[in-house]
Amino acid sequence: MINYKIKILDNFLQLKDFDALNKLEFSPAPENGVSYFTCRIDKNKNFINGENNSVIKEAFESYNDSLLKILQEMNVDKLSLYDYSMISVARTGKNFKFPIHDDTPEKLLSGVIYLNPEKNSGTNFFDNKNPTVKEKIDWKKNRAVFFSREERKTWHSFEGHSSGERKVLIYNLCTRKLKKVFNVENKNYFYGMLRYKLNPYIFKLFKRVI
């Protein structure tokens, strides 16, 4: 078993929201890549990037308070750092593999809700950065998986599946107070940030969302 908390909630989205998010139209993913439709909404309910999309706005208004409660439950010391929510629908090609990573430090709570298809691959969690899976969360439509990211601890990965494109809702509670994140985790800020700059793949993703 892994040495950090994961929260799994089945039937997380109301049916109307599940259907609306599944129907959100944007570019399909290449077979070996990922395509995202992403919006950020601050704690005052203002869109700070992405279009003012009604489907994403409805998701924020319906679920953001619930996610804040989950963050409080999983890591109360990070609750006061919350600045904005990053909400994405992601399409993953069947041949894509995301490397084992521990998430970027602006993410206070990381969440994924499996949307479509009926069968696909879920999420793998690890005790350290090696390919031995410690806990595998199976794919199930409308299953939500949450954890509170911690430097060099919350290792996880995901990948595509031969059944076809993988579609998920990614819902992250985020902060701009990165130094305070490392203080809460009792980790070194400069060393942590250097890790992302030296990892081109992860840092490329990191720059997209800060």
Side-chain angles (χ1 to χ4, degrees):
M1 297 293 290
I2 57 173
N3 60 352
Y4 50 91
K5 295 179 182 178
I6 301 171
K7 191 175 185 69
I8 303 169
L9 297 170
D10 286 342
N11 302 313
F12 181 76
L13 298 170
Q14 297 179 46
L15 182 58
K16 65 180 180 62
D17 299 320
F18 180 85
D19 289 341
L21 288 160
N22 252 318
K23 293 175 182 176
L24 195 64
E25 294 186 2
F26 59 102
S27 300
E31 288 190 355
N32 61 347
V34 184
S35 177
Y36 293 96
F37 182 97
T38 300
C39 294
R40 291 189 298 171
I41 305 176
D42 69 21
K43 57 187 176 183
N44 298 315
K45 302 182 179 182
N46 299 311
F47 277 78
I48 51 178
N49 88 315
E51 61 183 286
N52 191 330
N53 181 273
S54 60
V55 175
I56 300 298
K57 183 178 181 182
E58 180 70 22
F60 177 88
E61 292 178 346
S62 297
Y63 304 104
N64 208 70
D65 287 346
S66 296
L67 266 70
L68 286 167
K69 290 179 182 177
I70 294 172
L71 176 59
Q72 183 177 23
E73 172 190 333
M74 301 192 81
N75 197 330
V76 66
D77 292 334
K78 288 189 175 182
L79 184 62
S80 64
L81 304 182
Y82 170 69
D83 287 319
Y84 66 95
S85 297
M86 183 171 63
I87 306 172
S88 306
V89 177
R91 303 169 73 168
T92 301
K94 65 180 182 178
N95 296 326
F96 179 79
K97 292 186 177 182
F98 201 103
I100 299 172
H101 63 291
D102 56 348
D103 268 1
T104 50
E106 85 277 8
K107 296 180 182 179
L108 305 174
L109 183 74
S110 298
V112 59
I113 299 92
Y114 306 140
L115 296 179
N116 205 46
E118 192 68 38
K119 180 181 179 181
N120 212 277
S121 59
T123 309
N124 296 324
F125 290 91
F126 309 84
D127 263 342
N128 48 59
K129 195 176 181 182
N130 68 59
T132 303
V133 176
K134 293 295 183 182
E135 188 161 348
K136 181 178 181 180
I137 309 301
D138 291 332
W139 178 275
K140 183 180 179 181
K141 290 173 74 171
N142 207 10
R143 169 172 286 171
V145 182
F146 297 101
F147 63 94
S148 182
R149 175 263 181 203
E150 188 171 341
E151 178 76 1
R152 300 185 67 83
K153 185 175 182 179
T154 49
W155 299 107
H156 61 287
S157 70
F158 68 92
E159 60 187 44
H161 189 273
S162 59
S163 62
E165 188 177 75
R166 177 186 193 266
K167 184 180 287 187
V168 302
L169 173 67
I170 301 171
Y171 201 130
N172 299 316
L173 301 183
C174 301
T175 186
R176 299 184 184 89
K177 306 176 185 74
L178 301 186
K179 287 186 178 180
K180 291 185 178 180
V181 168
F182 284 93
N183 287 339
V184 168
E185 296 181 358
N186 197 28
K187 300 289 173 60
N188 185 281
Y189 167 76
F190 295 102
Y191 176 72
M193 295 305 298
L194 183 62
R195 282 183 61 219
Y196 292 99
K197 291 182 179 180
L198 293 178
N199 187 329
Y201 192 93
I202 301 298
F203 188 59
K204 180 180 179 181
L205 178 66
F206 176 71
K207 290 193 294 184
R208 288 181 55 185
V209 297
I210 60 173

